[in-house]
Amino acid sequence: MSRKLIPGRLVAATHNKGKVVELKDLFEPIGFQVISAGELNLEEAEETELTFEGNALIKARAAAQATGAPALSDDSGLEVTALGGMPGVHTAIWAGEPRDFYRAMEKVERELQAIDAKDRSARFVSCLAVAWPDGHEVTFRGEVEGTLTWPPRGEMGFGYDPVFVPTGFDVTFAELEPAQKHAMSHRAAAFEKLKAALL
Ligand code: IMP
């Protein structure tokens, strides 16, 4: 039988406050106590892989080893079709240091305009990884399709939410109530797979 995740303390291996909020919203109603890497003063692991799965595993593994408890991580990003899937795993880095997501959204828009792109389709991808201290690990991928709009709209959410209009909607992720976004996001899609396999 495959390994199950027992409700209890779960380390969220991320320093991204927006992700922590979304992971808490997903896992706390089903009995987990989510503690973030930031709250535990864990170091941020370097993301050296070229896939979402690989980077999610680096983060979950490091947190599980550091805490001795099962750890959950999310590696996610925005894949823009006309840019050959960029920024993809480099989505966070496009915001520079200190992180400025307006600058990152502007860079995507500039690159689309530079190639006069007619295709503005894009998808958010989330890969959730769970790692146990004994080395067992699993990953789950979720995606949500949409189109990019310019200029950015909306004050809610985080990251690239203000330029992403999910398919079937005419508002951006940043204009949706958090509960609406959380019910349909790439992270929610990965979470449904995780629930089916681990709970
Ligand atoms: P990483 O997973 O830490 O490498 O960072 C992924 C980056 O993708 C985040 O910093 C955000 O900019 C972006 N991202 C991931 N999920 C979302 C989302 O739900 N909304 C907006 N931006 C997101």
Side-chain angles (χ1 to χ4, degrees), residues 19 47 75-76 91-92 101 124 158 160-161 181 186-187:
K19 283 188 192 175
E47 297 175 26
D75 198 64
S76 48
T91 299
F101 284 100
F124 271 126
F158 67 99
Y160 296 67
D161 280 344
K181 179 193 167 190
H186 43 313
R187 215 159 283 110

Side-chain angles (χ1 to χ4, degrees), residues 3-18:
R3 176 92 58 109
K4 298 291 176 197
L5 190 59
I6 313 294
R9 229 169 105 101
L10 185 61
V11 178
T14 178
H15 288 75
N16 179 322
K17 291 197 176 78

